[in-house]
Amino acid sequence: MKKSIVFAFIFLTSMIGFAQTEKGGWAVSASSILSFSSSSLDGASDNFTSFGLSTDGGYFIEDNLAAGMILSFSSSSNGSIDSNSLTIGPLARYYFNGTFFLSAGFGYTTSKTKTDFGDFTTDGGTLLLQAGYPIWIVDAVAVEPALNYSIGTGDFDGNKTLNLSVGFRLYF
């Protein structure tokens, strides 16, 4: 009996997901990050605050294949150092049977940093790779846990990041 219920749940979940990734549909997501840390080393205190807002969206050009854009903004402050960055670029995402997905994109990033010693601007690109699984809350809304990997180019050459994320995505 339990096996039948599990099989029915998996079957229905994959059918709902497949219906949302058909040619002609749209998908839009948004996520944000807010962090604060404070530390003290040998009597000197150090505070770090970070905020980020990211969105992406795409149009399903074929069943299970969406092409779109990414846009993100981040701001951080660490004592007398303030930094803001903006990223924009193309993105492609492929869904395997409407469930598991892989994404690839390239974002152009410009970052401005202000310090006591002057202002600095850095520019470069970031190759973005992502793998995840949409968990359908209702017919057109999914929570998407994902594994993300990015590789920097230009002024960001050598920067590599691996992290886990959870976001929300709307399907139209």
Side-chain angles (χ1 to χ4, degrees):
M1 178 69 174
K2 287 183 182 180
K3 289 182 183 180
S4 298
I5 293 171
V6 170
F7 176 76
F9 176 77
I10 291 171
F11 176 76
L12 290 174
T13 301
S14 65
M15 293 306 291
I16 290 170
F18 184 73
Q20 298 304 326
T21 61
E22 291 177 346
K23 182 178 179 177
W26 289 88
V28 178
S29 77
S31 62
S32 67
I33 299 170
L34 176 63
S35 67
F36 172 80
S37 66
S38 179
S39 61
S40 179
L41 180 61
D42 294 331
S45 64
D46 189 23
N47 293 323
F48 179 77
T49 304
S50 175
F51 172 77
L53 181 62
S54 178
T55 186
D56 69 70
Y59 177 76
F60 286 92
I61 57 175
E62 293 292 333
D63 286 354
N64 298 319
L65 178 62
M69 297 291 293
I70 55 173
L71 177 65
S72 67
F73 170 79
S74 65
S75 179
S76 62
S77 177
N78 187 4
S80 63
I81 302 172
D82 294 318
S83 180
N84 295 307
S85 60
L86 179 68
T87 302
I88 187 167
L91 175 72
R93 178 178 274 198
Y94 186 78
Y95 290 83
F96 295 89
N97 195 27
T99 54
F100 177 77
F101 65 81
L102 293 175
S103 296
F106 185 83
Y108 171 77
T109 302
T110 184
S111 179
K112 297 184 191 293
T113 303
K114 295 182 179 187
T115 71
D116 290 340
F117 305 105
D119 297 348
F120 306 94
T121 300
T122 51
D123 297 300
T126 305
L127 174 63
L128 309 164
L129 304 171
Q130 183 182 59
Y133 183 86
I135 301 168
W136 301 95
I137 298 171
V138 294
D139 195 31
V141 179
V143 174
E144 294 185 342
L147 178 65
N148 307 286
Y149 183 68
S150 63
I151 303 167
T153 64
D155 289 341
F156 305 109
D157 194 25
N159 290 353
K160 296 177 184 173
T161 305
L162 179 66
N163 63 39
L164 295 172
S165 66
V166 177
F168 287 92
R169 185 167 299 270
L170 302 174
Y171 294 82
F172 304 99

